[in-house]
PDB file of all heavy atoms in Angstrom:
ATOM      1  N   VAL A 226      96.615 105.133 103.113  1.00 95.00           N
ATOM      2  CA  VAL A 226      95.676 105.437 104.197  1.00 95.00           C
ATOM      3  C   VAL A 226      96.397 105.296 105.537  1.00 95.00           C
ATOM      4  O   VAL A 226      96.277 106.164 106.417  1.00 95.00           O
ATOM      5  CB  VAL A 226      94.457 104.504 104.148  1.00 95.00           C
ATOM      6  CG1 VAL A 226      93.531 104.771 105.327  1.00 95.00           C
ATOM      7  CG2 VAL A 226      93.709 104.676 102.828  1.00 95.00           C
ATOM      8  N   ARG A 227      97.134 104.238 105.655  1.00 95.00           N
ATOM      9  CA  ARG A 227      97.874 104.012 106.904  1.00 95.00           C
ATOM     10  C   ARG A 227      98.885 105.130 107.142  1.00 95.00           C
ATOM     11  O   ARG A 227      99.051 105.603 108.278  1.00 95.00           O
ATOM     12  CB  ARG A 227      98.575 102.652 106.838  1.00 95.00           C
ATOM     13  CG  ARG A 227      99.378 102.291 108.064  1.00 95.00           C
ATOM     14  CD  ARG A 227      99.836 100.860 107.983  1.00 95.00           C
ATOM     15  NE  ARG A 227     100.878 100.566 108.963  1.00 95.00           N
ATOM     16  CZ  ARG A 227     101.387  99.356 109.179  1.00 95.00           C
ATOM     17  NH1 ARG A 227     100.941  98.326 108.486  1.00 95.00           N
ATOM     18  NH2 ARG A 227     102.333  99.174 110.068  1.00 95.00           N
ATOM     19  N   GLU A 228      99.554 105.582 106.091  1.00 96.00           N
ATOM     20  CA  GLU A 228     100.513 106.676 106.236  1.00 96.00           C
ATOM     21  C   GLU A 228      99.807 107.954 106.695  1.00 96.00           C
ATOM     22  O   GLU A 228     100.331 108.690 107.541  1.00 96.00           O
ATOM     23  CB  GLU A 228     101.229 106.914 104.900  1.00 96.00           C
ATOM     24  CG  GLU A 228     102.219 105.827 104.533  1.00 96.00           C
ATOM     25  CD  GLU A 228     102.794 106.014 103.147  1.00 96.00           C
ATOM     26  OE1 GLU A 228     102.542 107.087 102.541  1.00 96.00           O
ATOM     27  OE2 GLU A 228     103.502 105.114 102.666  1.00 96.00           O
ATOM     28  N   ARG A 229      98.640 108.224 106.130  1.00 96.00           N
ATOM     29  CA  ARG A 229      97.891 109.423 106.537  1.00 96.00           C
ATOM     30  C   ARG A 229      97.506 109.345 108.011  1.00 96.00           C
ATOM     31  O   ARG A 229      97.595 110.331 108.748  1.00 96.00           O
ATOM     32  CB  ARG A 229      96.631 109.549 105.683  1.00 96.00           C
ATOM     33  CG  ARG A 229      96.890 109.645 104.190  1.00 96.00           C
ATOM     34  CD  ARG A 229      97.142 111.067 103.726  1.00 96.00           C
ATOM     35  NE  ARG A 229      97.454 111.105 102.302  1.00 96.00           N
ATOM     36  CZ  ARG A 229      96.547 111.107 101.333  1.00 96.00           C
ATOM     37  NH1 ARG A 229      95.267 111.086 101.639  1.00 96.00           N
ATOM     38  NH2 ARG A 229      96.923 111.138 100.069  1.00 96.00           N
ATOM     39  N   LEU A 230      97.052 108.181 108.433  1.00 98.00           N
ATOM     40  CA  LEU A 230      96.672 108.009 109.839  1.00 98.00           C
ATOM     41  C   LEU A 230      97.888 108.134 110.750  1.00 98.00           C
ATOM     42  O   LEU A 230      97.802 108.703 111.847  1.00 98.00           O
ATOM     43  CB  LEU A 230      95.992 106.649 110.041  1.00 98.00           C
ATOM     44  CG  LEU A 230      94.629 106.457 109.364  1.00 98.00           C
ATOM     45  CD1 LEU A 230      94.136 105.031 109.588  1.00 98.00           C
ATOM     46  CD2 LEU A 230      93.613 107.455 109.895  1.00 98.00           C
ATOM     47  N   ALA A 231      99.022 107.615 110.291  1.00 98.00           N
ATOM     48  CA  ALA A 231     100.240 107.648 111.112  1.00 98.00           C
ATOM     49  C   ALA A 231     100.769 109.061 111.310  1.00 98.00           C
ATOM     50  O   ALA A 231     101.551 109.317 112.236  1.00 98.00           O
ATOM     51  CB  ALA A 231     101.305 106.756 110.479  1.00 98.00           C
ATOM     52  N   GLU A 232     100.354 109.989 110.443  1.00 97.00           N
ATOM     53  CA  GLU A 232     100.750 111.381 110.629  1.00 97.00           C
ATOM     54  C   GLU A 232     100.085 111.999 111.857  1.00 97.00           C
ATOM     55  O   GLU A 232     100.600 112.971 112.422  1.00 97.00           O
ATOM     56  CB  GLU A 232     100.371 112.187 109.379  1.00 97.00           C
ATOM     57  CG  GLU A 232     101.195 111.820 108.145  1.00 97.00           C
ATOM     58  CD  GLU A 232     100.666 112.501 106.891  1.00 97.00           C
ATOM     59  OE1 GLU A 232      99.647 113.237 107.001  1.00 97.00           O
ATOM     60  OE2 GLU A 232     101.241 112.299 105.815  1.00 97.00           O
ATOM     61  N   ARG A 233      98.943 111.436 112.263  1.00 97.00           N
ATOM     62  CA  ARG A 233      98.175 111.996 113.374  1.00 97.00           C
ATOM     63  C   ARG A 233      98.080 111.075 114.569  1.00 97.00           C
ATOM     64  O   ARG A 233      97.815 111.522 115.692  1.00 97.00           O
ATOM     65  CB  ARG A 233      96.754 112.326 112.891  1.00 97.00           C
ATOM     66  CG  ARG A 233      96.714 113.293 111.727  1.00 97.00           C
ATOM     67  CD  ARG A 233      97.124 114.698 112.132  1.00 97.00           C
ATOM     68  NE  ARG A 233      96.146 115.277 113.032  1.00 97.00           N
ATOM     69  CZ  ARG A 233      95.045 115.902 112.612  1.00 97.00           C
ATOM     70  NH1 ARG A 233      94.795 116.017 111.306  1.00 97.00           N
ATOM     71  NH2 ARG A 233      94.208 116.412 113.483  1.00 97.00           N
ATOM     72  N   PHE A 234      98.260 109.773 114.321  1.00 98.00           N
ATOM     73  CA  PHE A 234      98.075 108.784 115.382  1.00 98.00           C
ATOM     74  C   PHE A 234      99.318 107.917 115.527  1.00 98.00           C
ATOM     75  O   PHE A 234     100.117 107.769 114.595  1.00 98.00           O
ATOM     76  CB  PHE A 234      96.894 107.858 115.070  1.00 98.00           C
ATOM     77  CG  PHE A 234      95.552 108.546 114.969  1.00 98.00           C
ATOM     78  CD1 PHE A 234      94.742 108.329 113.861  1.00 98.00           C
ATOM     79  CD2 PHE A 234      95.096 109.379 115.982  1.00 98.00           C
ATOM     80  CE1 PHE A 234      93.498 108.933 113.768  1.00 98.00           C
ATOM     81  CE2 PHE A 234      93.857 109.991 115.884  1.00 98.00           C
ATOM     82  CZ  PHE A 234      93.054 109.770 114.779  1.00 98.00           C
ATOM     83  N   THR A 235      99.417 107.281 116.707  1.00 98.00           N
ATOM     84  CA  THR A 235     100.429 106.259 116.937  1.00 98.00           C
ATOM     85  C   THR A 235      99.764 104.910 116.722  1.00 98.00           C
ATOM     86  O   THR A 235      98.843 104.535 117.457  1.00 98.00           O
ATOM     87  CB  THR A 235     100.985 106.347 118.370  1.00 98.00           C
ATOM     88  OG1 THR A 235     101.475 107.670 118.600  1.00 98.00           O
ATOM     89  CG2 THR A 235     102.096 105.329 118.573  1.00 98.00           C
ATOM     90  N   LEU A 236     100.204 104.184 115.696  1.00 98.00           N
ATOM     91  CA  LEU A 236      99.577 102.913 115.323  1.00 98.00           C
ATOM     92  C   LEU A 236     100.466 101.747 115.732  1.00 98.00           C
ATOM     93  O   LEU A 236     101.673 101.753 115.479  1.00 98.00           O
ATOM     94  CB  LEU A 236      99.345 102.866 113.813  1.00 98.00           C
ATOM     95  CG  LEU A 236      98.519 104.008 113.198  1.00 98.00           C
ATOM     96  CD1 LEU A 236      98.446 103.839 111.689  1.00 98.00           C
ATOM     97  CD2 LEU A 236      97.124 104.054 113.804  1.00 98.00           C
ATOM     98  N   THR A 237      99.841 100.744 116.348  1.00 97.00           N
ATOM     99  CA  THR A 237     100.573  99.552 116.770  1.00 97.00           C
ATOM    100  C   THR A 237      99.842  98.314 116.268  1.00 97.00           C
ATOM    101  O   THR A 237      98.628  98.171 116.470  1.00 97.00           O
ATOM    102  CB  THR A 237     100.674  99.472 118.308  1.00 97.00           C
ATOM    103  OG1 THR A 237     101.257 100.685 118.800  1.00 97.00           O
ATOM    104  CG2 THR A 237     101.508  98.279 118.731  1.00 97.00           C
ATOM    105  N   GLU A 238     100.569  97.430 115.598  1.00 95.00           N
ATOM    106  CA  GLU A 238      99.954  96.199 115.102  1.00 95.00           C
ATOM    107  C   GLU A 238      99.511  95.323 116.271  1.00 95.00           C
ATOM    108  O   GLU A 238     100.202  95.201 117.274  1.00 95.00           O
ATOM    109  CB  GLU A 238     100.928  95.434 114.209  1.00 95.00           C
ATOM    110  CG  GLU A 238     101.248  96.152 112.912  1.00 95.00           C
ATOM    111  CD  GLU A 238     102.107  95.320 111.981  1.00 95.00           C
ATOM    112  OE1 GLU A 238     102.329  94.135 112.288  1.00 95.00           O
ATOM    113  OE2 GLU A 238     102.545  95.859 110.949  1.00 95.00           O
ATOM    114  N   ILE A 239      98.342  94.701 116.124  1.00 95.00           N
ATOM    115  CA  ILE A 239      97.808  93.814 117.158  1.00 95.00           C
ATOM    116  C   ILE A 239      97.356  92.514 116.509  1.00 95.00           C
ATOM    117  O   ILE A 239      97.179  92.431 115.296  1.00 95.00           O
ATOM    118  CB  ILE A 239      96.627  94.472 117.923  1.00 95.00           C
ATOM    119  CG1 ILE A 239      95.517  94.896 116.942  1.00 95.00           C
ATOM    120  CG2 ILE A 239      97.113  95.653 118.735  1.00 95.00           C
ATOM    121  CD1 ILE A 239      94.289  95.481 117.636  1.00 95.00           C
ATOM    122  N   ASP A 240      97.149  91.492 117.335  1.00 92.00           N
ATOM    123  CA  ASP A 240      96.781  90.164 116.840  1.00 92.00           C
ATOM    124  C   ASP A 240      95.281  89.975 116.665  1.00 92.00           C
ATOM    125  O   ASP A 240      94.838  88.923 116.235  1.00 92.00           O
ATOM    126  CB  ASP A 240      97.303  89.076 117.795  1.00 92.00           C
ATOM    127  CG  ASP A 240      98.824  88.995 117.789  1.00 92.00           C
ATOM    128  OD1 ASP A 240      99.416  89.337 116.743  1.00 92.00           O
ATOM    129  OD2 ASP A 240      99.403  88.606 118.809  1.00 92.00           O
ATOM    130  N   TYR A 241      94.501  90.982 117.014  1.00 91.00           N
ATOM    131  CA  TYR A 241      93.042  90.856 116.971  1.00 91.00           C
ATOM    132  C   TYR A 241      92.558  90.496 115.572  1.00 91.00           C
ATOM    133  O   TYR A 241      93.004  91.050 114.571  1.00 91.00           O
ATOM    134  CB  TYR A 241      92.393  92.166 117.417  1.00 91.00           C
ATOM    135  CG  TYR A 241      90.885  92.190 117.257  1.00 91.00           C
ATOM    136  CD1 TYR A 241      90.061  91.550 118.179  1.00 91.00           C
ATOM    137  CD2 TYR A 241      90.291  92.840 116.173  1.00 91.00           C
ATOM    138  CE1 TYR A 241      88.674  91.562 118.033  1.00 91.00           C
ATOM    139  CE2 TYR A 241      88.909  92.869 116.022  1.00 91.00           C
ATOM    140  CZ  TYR A 241      88.117  92.223 116.951  1.00 91.00           C
ATOM    141  OH  TYR A 241      86.755  92.238 116.798  1.00 91.00           O
ATOM    142  N   ARG A 242      91.608  89.540 115.502  1.00 85.00           N
ATOM    143  CA  ARG A 242      90.956  89.165 114.259  1.00 85.00           C
ATOM    144  C   ARG A 242      89.456  89.085 114.510  1.00 85.00           C
ATOM    145  O   ARG A 242      89.015  88.579 115.543  1.00 85.00           O
ATOM    146  CB  ARG A 242      91.454  87.817 113.743  1.00 85.00           C
ATOM    147  CG  ARG A 242      92.923  87.801 113.337  1.00 85.00           C
ATOM    148  CD  ARG A 242      93.150  88.590 112.060  1.00 85.00           C
ATOM    149  NE  ARG A 242      94.535  88.534 111.616  1.00 85.00           N
ATOM    150  CZ  ARG A 242      95.474  89.392 111.963  1.00 85.00           C
ATOM    151  NH1 ARG A 242      95.187  90.389 112.788  1.00 85.00           N
ATOM    152  NH2 ARG A 242      96.705  89.276 111.500  1.00 85.00           N
ATOM    153  N   SER A 243      88.688  89.561 113.552  1.00 81.00           N
ATOM    154  CA  SER A 243      87.229  89.529 113.690  1.00 81.00           C
ATOM    155  C   SER A 243      86.608  88.349 112.959  1.00 81.00           C
ATOM    156  O   SER A 243      85.391  88.178 112.959  1.00 81.00           O
ATOM    157  CB  SER A 243      86.625  90.830 113.143  1.00 81.00           C
ATOM    158  OG  SER A 243      86.918  90.966 111.762  1.00 81.00           O
ATOM    159  N   GLY A 244      87.441  87.534 112.316  1.00 75.00           N
ATOM    160  CA  GLY A 244      86.944  86.396 111.560  1.00 75.00           C
ATOM    161  C   GLY A 244      86.989  86.621 110.067  1.00 75.00           C
ATOM    162  O   GLY A 244      86.873  85.690 109.280  1.00 75.00           O
ATOM    163  N   GLY A 245      87.154  87.880 109.655  1.00 77.00           N
ATOM    164  CA  GLY A 245      87.233  88.215 108.244  1.00 77.00           C
ATOM    165  C   GLY A 245      88.653  88.542 107.831  1.00 77.00           C
ATOM    166  O   GLY A 245      89.610  88.217 108.531  1.00 77.00           O
ATOM    167  N   PRO A 246      88.827  89.232 106.685  1.00 81.00           N
ATOM    168  CA  PRO A 246      90.161  89.477 106.142  1.00 81.00           C
ATOM    169  C   PRO A 246      90.878  90.695 106.706  1.00 81.00           C
ATOM    170  O   PRO A 246      92.026  90.938 106.349  1.00 81.00           O
ATOM    171  CB  PRO A 246      89.877  89.685 104.651  1.00 81.00           C
ATOM    172  CG  PRO A 246      88.506  90.287 104.630  1.00 81.00           C
ATOM    173  CD  PRO A 246      87.756  89.621 105.754  1.00 81.00           C
ATOM    174  N   ALA A 247      90.231  91.474 107.550  1.00 87.00           N
ATOM    175  CA  ALA A 247      90.844  92.712 108.035  1.00 87.00           C
ATOM    176  C   ALA A 247      92.040  92.426 108.940  1.00 87.00           C
ATOM    177  O   ALA A 247      92.035  91.492 109.744  1.00 87.00           O
ATOM    178  CB  ALA A 247      89.819  93.549 108.787  1.00 87.00           C
ATOM    179  N   ARG A 248      93.057  93.279 108.807  1.00 91.00           N
ATOM    180  CA  ARG A 248      94.203  93.284 109.714  1.00 91.00           C
ATOM    181  C   ARG A 248      94.105  94.560 110.536  1.00 91.00           C
ATOM    182  O   ARG A 248      93.884  95.646 109.990  1.00 91.00           O
ATOM    183  CB  ARG A 248      95.519  93.251 108.929  1.00 91.00           C
ATOM    184  CG  ARG A 248      95.692  91.990 108.091  1.00 91.00           C
ATOM    185  CD  ARG A 248      95.786  90.745 108.969  1.00 91.00           C
ATOM    186  NE  ARG A 248      96.028  89.526 108.197  1.00 91.00           N
ATOM    187  CZ  ARG A 248      95.080  88.705 107.781  1.00 91.00           C
ATOM    188  NH1 ARG A 248      93.808  88.991 108.037  1.00 91.00           N
ATOM    189  NH2 ARG A 248      95.375  87.623 107.103  1.00 91.00           N
ATOM    190  N   TYR A 249      94.285  94.437 111.864  1.00 96.00           N
ATOM    191  CA  TYR A 249      93.976  95.549 112.762  1.00 96.00           C
ATOM    192  C   TYR A 249      95.208  96.141 113.414  1.00 96.00           C
ATOM    193  O   TYR A 249      96.217  95.461 113.635  1.00 96.00           O
ATOM    194  CB  TYR A 249      93.012  95.078 113.854  1.00 96.00           C
ATOM    195  CG  TYR A 249      91.597  94.887 113.358  1.00 96.00           C
ATOM    196  CD1 TYR A 249      91.185  93.664 112.831  1.00 96.00           C
ATOM    197  CD2 TYR A 249      90.671  95.928 113.394  1.00 96.00           C
ATOM    198  CE1 TYR A 249      89.892  93.476 112.362  1.00 96.00           C
ATOM    199  CE2 TYR A 249      89.380  95.756 112.932  1.00 96.00           C
ATOM    200  CZ  TYR A 249      89.002  94.530 112.421  1.00 96.00           C
ATOM    201  OH  TYR A 249      87.730  94.366 111.953  1.00 96.00           O
TER     202      TYR A 249
END
Side-chain angles (χ1 to χ4, degrees):
V226 177
R227 180 171 166 175
E228 288 174 9
R229 301 273 177 83
L230 293 176
E232 291 172 359
R233 302 290 293 275
F234 298 129
T235 305
L236 304 177
T237 305
E238 293 186 8
I239 56 177
D240 292 332
Y241 173 79
R242 295 289 183 270
S243 62
R248 297 296 183 265
Y249 286 89

